[in-house]
Amino acid sequence: MKKVVFLSGAGISAESGISTFRDSGGLWENHDVMEVCSVGGFRLNRRLVLDFYDARRKGLADKKPNRAHCMVAELQREFPGRIINLTQNVDDLFEKARCESVVHLHGELTKARCEHCDETTQIDYEEIPLGMKCPRCGSAAMRHHIVKFGQAAPMYQIQHTAIDDAAAQGWLLVVIGTSGQVLPVESYARMMRHSILNNLEAQGDIDGEAFTQAFYGKAGEYADRIQVLAREFLTQADGES
Ligand code: OAD
Ligand code: ZN
């Protein structure tokens, strides 16, 4: 059975008012990336890093999903089990759009994790105080759930399987709103028979030619078009392409 694999980044949430990382005015401009996002930075100054993520988490409370998040949710309802939703984003906008399953490759702001036993708990928009106790093992070792530079990303295994399956079975890969500086999305597209890119504009790290189709502009504005293409792909008989 044919499937569609969505792979999104910060750009899909930009129209909902969440800053991207690398655009001008993005999150990194005001912060030293290695200070707030590396294993070493967290060791040096836990409070600074927890504060950084507390602020990001608090900022999510009033954010709403946009047309692009809802488009993926609608496709999941229309084609149960046939839409894989991988995202690099740590926000909860796909959940707010009522997506049935979301694979957060880089973790989730609305969760905390125990450094000692790996227990994960839902904290919604609350702060994480220094020394917060783990509900399972009792260690004062709860921290933000976001994957840091220099740390393994357990969800990457799911992503690799999805990309390999998509390449082997001729599924459709849809990449939305990512600079391609962390995940090699251009290489993924070159493995596929069917692929779509939607980014705000063409940029150096991703060659749009590697994709079957590339749309440049806002994700919310291209969402309906991408939904039609995904639907057409999923309803074509297997073998037709
Ligand atoms: P980036 O900030 O690197 O890239 C965002 C991309 O979205 C850029 O290519 C923009 O052109 C595009 N964009 C901006 N607004 C858009 C819109 N309205 N519609 C469509 N595209 C738009 O973000 P990511 O590629 O997601 O990891 O960054 C990857 C990872 O880097 C993040 O997950 C984060 C960071 O390290 C962690 O936090 C662990
Ligand atoms: Zn624990």
Side-chain angles (χ1 to χ4, degrees), residues 114-119 134-139 141-142:
C114 174
E115 286 185 294
H116 189 65
C117 76
D118 245 9
E119 173 77 356
C134 170
R136 184 160 90 181
C137 74
S139 313
M142 293 305 281

Side-chain angles (χ1 to χ4, degrees), residues 3 14 50 53 69 74 126 139 173 175 189 195 209 221 225:
K3 297 189 183 181
L50 291 176
Y53 286 108
H69 301 100
E74 287 165 12
E126 298 297 313
S139 313
L173 173 70
V175 173
S195 55
E209 298 281 316
E221 288 168 13
R225 187 133 164 217

